Every structure is written in structure tokens, then in C-alpha cells.
Amino acid sequence: MTEFYRILRESTGQIEGWSRREIAERSIEHFGYLDVGQLVDPSILEVFESKEIAPIDQYEDQGIYWFAAMKVEPKTTRAGKGYLLIYAQGPSGRTIRLNCWGWDGKRKIEPYAICFAEMKHNDYGISTDMKKLRELA
């Protein structure tokens, strides 16, 4: 058990059975910040590392990156097409705005979901497409 979970357990009385969202909200409530790494199972981090999938806060160039979706806002382009503005965070705590094009208006990304996506930088910033974004269960 990490120090994070020990402190959280002592301050709240329990953590077993909490959802990712509950862990995130309690962390923010008790500590004032969220360590995104605490939301990702170590075995998943090993897979990301073995596949050379870096966290979004290490974005340098087009490629596949992982992140926690801290906040997701539905948006519409001037042409009337839907997209999502995702406030993505990696382990450093830095939040990056990610445009996710091709949103059908139905698919939801839950708060604090761990995702990975193929990304690139364009005139609108860091972007991906809904077809190239996956949320981990």
C-alpha cells in the first residue's frame, strides 16, 4: 500500500471498493490535488511503459499518450460539428487541453477516466479523434 492510500485510509476510514472517481475526489478534498498515477493500476503503467506510451504531460510530437480525463466539455465547431474539449492530466499534475474531434454527441468519457489516444499538434493545439481514443475500464 502506498503512502497515499495509507493517509487517505486514516483520514476517511476506508478506501476498499471506492471507484476511481471517489478516490480522485477524496484526494482533492483531503490533499488539495490529485496524483493521477494513483488512479492507474501499476500493471497498466507497465504496459504503457513497455509499449512506449508516455503520459500526456511528456507530449513532444505526434504519437500515442495516456492521461486522466479531469474534465470533459462538449463543444461545437463553427460548422456545427460536435467535439469534446478534454482537460487531460498526466502524473506531473499539469493540465493540457486536448481537442477530440468527431464526437457523435452520445459517447461519454467519465471524469477521471484513464485514457490513451493517438495525438498530434495542429492549429488548434493538441488534438485527437474519437476513433483514436480509448478509455480503460
Side-chain angles (χ1 to χ4, degrees), residues 65-121:
Y65 296 86
W66 71 267
F67 59 91
M70 303 302 286
K71 181 178 173 185
V72 180
E73 295 179 355
K75 298 285 187 177
T76 306
T77 66
R78 289 185 192 143
K81 295 181 180 182
Y83 73 99
L84 294 175
L85 176 58
I86 301 171
Y87 292 87
Q89 187 173 316
S92 75
R94 191 172 113 217
T95 300
I96 295 170
R97 292 169 44 125
L98 174 66
N99 297 301
C100 187
W101 310 111
W103 182 55
D104 63 6
K106 298 175 187 172
R107 182 174 168 194
K108 294 185 180 198
I109 297 174
E110 293 298 319
Y112 310 111
I114 302 301
C115 305
F116 65 97
E118 185 176 332
M119 301 175 198
K120 63 182 176 181
H121 194 273

Side-chain angles (χ1 to χ4, degrees), residues 17-34:
W18 282 4
S19 68
R20 184 179 293 128
R21 184 178 189 149
E22 290 171 317
I23 291 171
E25 289 173 350
R26 299 298 187 305
S27 174
I28 293 167
E29 175 185 333
H30 289 277
F31 305 116
Y33 71 95
L34 172 63

Side-chain angles (χ1 to χ4, degrees), residues 1-10 15 23 38:
M1 179 182 310
T2 66
E3 183 70 7
F4 167 82
Y5 285 112
R6 186 187 63 71
I7 293 169
L8 199 54
R9 180 187 305 250
E10 288 173 3
I15 60 170
I23 291 171
Q38 299 295 331

Side-chain angles (χ1 to χ4, degrees), residues 114-133:
I114 302 301
C115 305
F116 65 97
E118 185 176 332
M119 301 175 198
K120 63 182 176 181
H121 194 273
N122 59 24
D123 293 342
Y124 302 100
I126 299 175
S127 299
T128 190
D129 189 279
M130 286 301 289
K131 295 177 209 162
K132 296 180 179 182
L133 183 142

